[in-house]
Amino acid sequence: PQQPRSARSPQPGSMSNVFKGEFKVTTQSLMGKADVKKLRSSLQAEFPELTKKALDGILGKEEVGVLKCSNGSTLYVPGDGPAAFFDDGFGGVYPTLTTLWRIPDMMPELVTHAPVSKFLLPKDRSAGADMMLPGVIVPPEGLGPLELGQKRCIRVEGNKMPIAVGKMLVSAADVKGSGMKGKGMEVKHVYHDSLWAYSGRKVPNDGFLADQVVASEGAPPAAAAAAAAADESDEEEAEEEEQEEEAEAVAAGRGSWRRRG
């Protein structure tokens, strides 16, 4: 006979924040070109807002490091930068907060009230809570296509920068049937957890406080602005290189045509 839901064993992928405690990097290696290409393709397929140029700015065009961690997770690190994406240990690849702060609209979101953020953030002996549906602000247009297992980020009303990322535990049908009750999203990575600390303990704006996140106009710190400017400069250089290569190819083609004539 089928077991009651409460008595069943946890399903694979049902573990919440793997970064709730400290972790250590156990092995480090570099991804092969084929693996990097596969990772980039899967990320762009899953997150349509992640353009090639944006991904170049996040993962870089050179080497991508693979860091296996003691908590079962895997970090994908571009060059000497902070981790850009992570595998939660169950095959789900998510952007880190560092990446989301550079492209805050790369995935669907849930919006909550500032006081609710206090319960989501880890503190002292608490690992931080998952996102409960009663704390979600439903906009006039609704929550959009809502699917079980869908990856979403969380942000506070009045602050454009995400505070957490995770996956949905309910579908649109679940919400329609039982309303906005119970646990809605499993948090995988959140502001103030050990991955945030490992990434340099940075904040995207002045709304990110020690014990909660509040509304903010979101003016980026000088360092973030400088990084954005550097990314823009890199993109312009890449475009110039592509134009030069195209010009050289055209010139070479003309020379070949002239010799044949």
Side-chain angles (χ1 to χ4, degrees):
Q2 188 178 32
Q3 290 179 299
R5 179 180 293 271
S6 59
R8 294 178 193 169
S9 300
Q11 296 300 308
S14 64
M15 182 177 179
S16 291
N17 193 352
V18 292
F19 302 106
K20 59 186 178 183
E22 297 300 318
F23 67 90
K24 294 181 179 180
V25 175
T26 56
T27 63
Q28 301 184 48
S29 60
L30 292 177
M31 294 187 79
K33 290 184 178 179
D35 289 331
V36 172
K37 185 176 181 180
K38 183 178 179 180
L39 175 64
R40 292 172 64 100
S41 296
S42 64
L43 289 171
Q44 285 188 275
E46 186 165 17
F47 306 110
E49 296 298 324
L50 195 57
T51 64
K52 180 181 181 299
K53 285 185 178 181
L55 197 51
D56 286 345
I58 294 169
L59 276 183
K61 298 181 181 179
E62 303 299 328
E63 299 176 334
V64 176
V66 180
L67 278 57
K68 299 284 186 178
C69 303
S70 57
N71 58 6
S73 69
T74 300
L75 307 182
Y76 298 103
V77 183
D80 296 326
F85 296 90
F86 69 92
D87 185 313
D88 65 350
F90 297 97
V93 178
Y94 299 79
T96 62
L97 287 178
T98 302
T99 293
L100 284 171
W101 292 340
R102 296 178 68 172
I103 312 178
D105 59 352
M106 69 171 282
M107 65 194 308
E109 65 183 17
L110 293 180
V111 180
T112 189
H113 303 280
V116 175
S117 68
K118 292 182 179 181
F119 300 99
L120 300 176
L121 308 188
K123 59 175 72 70
D124 299 328
R125 299 179 182 178
S126 170
D130 285 326
M131 186 72 233
M132 305 299 289
L133 287 175
V136 174
I137 299 173
V138 181
E141 64 275 16
L143 295 172
L146 195 62
E147 301 174 5
L148 180 66
Q150 180 187 42
K151 296 174 184 177
R152 289 201 175 208
C153 64
I154 301 172
R155 69 174 182 83
V156 164
E157 186 178 30
N159 195 319
K160 295 181 179 179
M161 296 298 171
I163 68 170
V165 62
K167 71 174 186 177
M168 296 304 301
L169 296 173
V170 295
S171 65
D174 294 329
V175 172
K176 184 177 180 180
S178 59
M180 297 292 284
K181 300 177 182 179
K183 192 177 292 187
M185 191 176 106
E186 184 177 271
V187 172
K188 295 289 185 178
H189 165 41
V190 63
Y191 172 54
H192 267 211
D193 68 10
S194 57
L195 178 54
W196 168 80
Y198 181 81
S199 301
R201 298 177 178 271
K202 296 180 180 179
V203 296
N205 59 46
D206 58 7
F208 281 66
L209 309 178
D211 63 341
Q212 66 176 316
V213 178
V214 299
S216 170
E217 291 299 321
D231 288 344
E232 185 175 345
S233 176
D234 289 343
E235 289 178 3
E236 290 176 353
E237 289 179 7
E239 288 180 358
E240 290 176 0
E241 289 177 3
E242 289 178 3
Q243 290 173 358
E244 289 176 1
E245 289 175 358
E246 290 176 0
E248 290 174 0
V250 171
R254 287 176 178 171
S256 176
W257 178 80
R258 287 171 180 169
R259 285 194 295 272
R260 289 199 301 271

